Amino acid sequence: MTSLVRLEAADGIGTIRLDRPPMNALNIAVQEQLRAAAQEATARDDVRAVVIYGGEKVFAAGADIKEMAGMGYAEMSARAVALSSAFDAVARIPKPVVAAITGYALGGGCELALTADWRVAAEDAQLGQPEITLGIIPGAGGTQRLARLVGPARAKDLIMSGRFVPAPEALAMGLVDRVVPRADVYEAALALVRPYVNGPALALRAAKQAVDGGLEMDLASGLAWESQLFAGLFATEDKAEGMTAFVEKRKPSFRGR
């Protein structure tokens, strides 16, 4: 199979790189290779943080419409679950994840960016969920993750209008977290997650699980979930190292155990 998505690791950071020119259209092959890359990033101990990157020109301009155009209800009702779960595999990487967005992040591309913990966008980037212009709605988490990120009213505006959102507006509404010159996007994304490479990996995983899992629960259940994760960290070597280093007034040396 042609490599349309690859995981490249260096200095503790794994880059999930989309490589399907010219627009990184997210066809079925890309979706499944995204799943595989996410699973590999999850499993590899030498990957402590992750950047999702489409290259210098474009992040991902959406699904492969030519591939979907011939599908009817029976086909898509089966495929839709696999599509959603492929993106969910990226969202569930138990490590800090940032999307580095250049050019367009539209439709499935925007949904992929939403799976990250943070989003760094180029000054001239544009994001959006234009599926409505095709007579459909987002099907890879857009209606759910977008509403949780920017609120239901803004999510309905973007989804029901299908409009493109320029980077400055995306920053103002919280759709992206940083806006930088296009040439600096990848380096800015690396800089954002680099501090976590030598951090307490199990505590970072628990922090992500606590926040993401708690969003799906009522407050009482979320607090119980937090307490469970909090207590579990007291069985880790990093907890012992962190507290010992604090008492001894030195910098901790975490080992991710």
Side-chain angles (χ1 to χ4, degrees), residues 177-203:
D177 302 285
R178 297 184 187 176
V179 173
V180 300
R182 177 190 285 246
D184 298 337
V185 167
Y186 183 65
E187 288 301 322
L190 290 175
L192 195 154
V193 296
R194 190 173 286 118
Y196 302 110
V197 168
N198 294 315
L202 297 177

Side-chain angles (χ1 to χ4, degrees), residues 26 52 59-60 62-63 83-84 87-88 90-91 105-116 119 127-129 131 137-146 159 175:
L26 303 167
I52 309 171
F59 184 71
L83 166 62
S84 184
F87 280 55
D88 202 48
V90 182
L106 302 173
C110 187
E111 291 174 300
L112 178 58
L114 289 171
T115 65
R119 284 149 291 282
L127 298 86
Q129 299 288 170
E131 289 89 345
I137 64 171
T143 65
Q144 302 305 303
R145 292 192 177 95
L146 185 59
I159 292 167
L175 179 53

Side-chain angles (χ1 to χ4, degrees), residues 23-137:
M23 302 301 286
N24 289 332
L26 303 167
N27 65 357
I28 291 174
V30 172
Q31 294 163 25
E32 292 308 315
Q33 289 183 36
L34 270 172
R35 186 200 308 277
Q39 291 170 342
E40 182 182 352
T42 295
R44 285 178 58 167
D45 291 336
D46 64 325
V47 173
R48 303 291 291 270
V50 175
V51 176
I52 309 171
Y53 185 51
E56 297 177 356
K57 294 182 179 180
V58 64
F59 184 71
D64 189 324
I65 306 304
K66 291 181 179 179
E67 183 179 69
M68 290 198 304
M71 294 185 179
Y73 170 76
E75 292 171 286
M76 187 50 76
S77 63
R79 181 63 211 165
V81 175
L83 166 62
S84 184
S85 67
F87 280 55
D88 202 48
V90 182
R92 293 184 181 277
I93 295 172
K95 302 168 184 182
V97 179
V98 58
I101 302 168
T102 54
Y104 295 106
L106 302 173
C110 187
E111 291 174 300
L112 178 58
L114 289 171
T115 65
D117 301 307
W118 307 281
R119 284 149 291 282
V120 174
E123 293 171 331
D124 58 351
Q126 296 192 69
L127 298 86
Q129 299 288 170
E131 289 89 345
I132 202 77
T133 65
L134 302 174
I136 58 174
I137 64 171

Side-chain angles (χ1 to χ4, degrees), residues 6 70 128 138 176 212:
R6 59 183 182 272
V176 302
D212 290 350

Side-chain angles (χ1 to χ4, degrees), residues 204-222:
L204 289 168
R205 181 180 70 180
K208 184 167 180 172
Q209 291 174 329
V211 174
D212 290 350
L215 288 172
E216 310 301 322
M217 305 175 189
D218 58 61
L219 180 58
S221 299

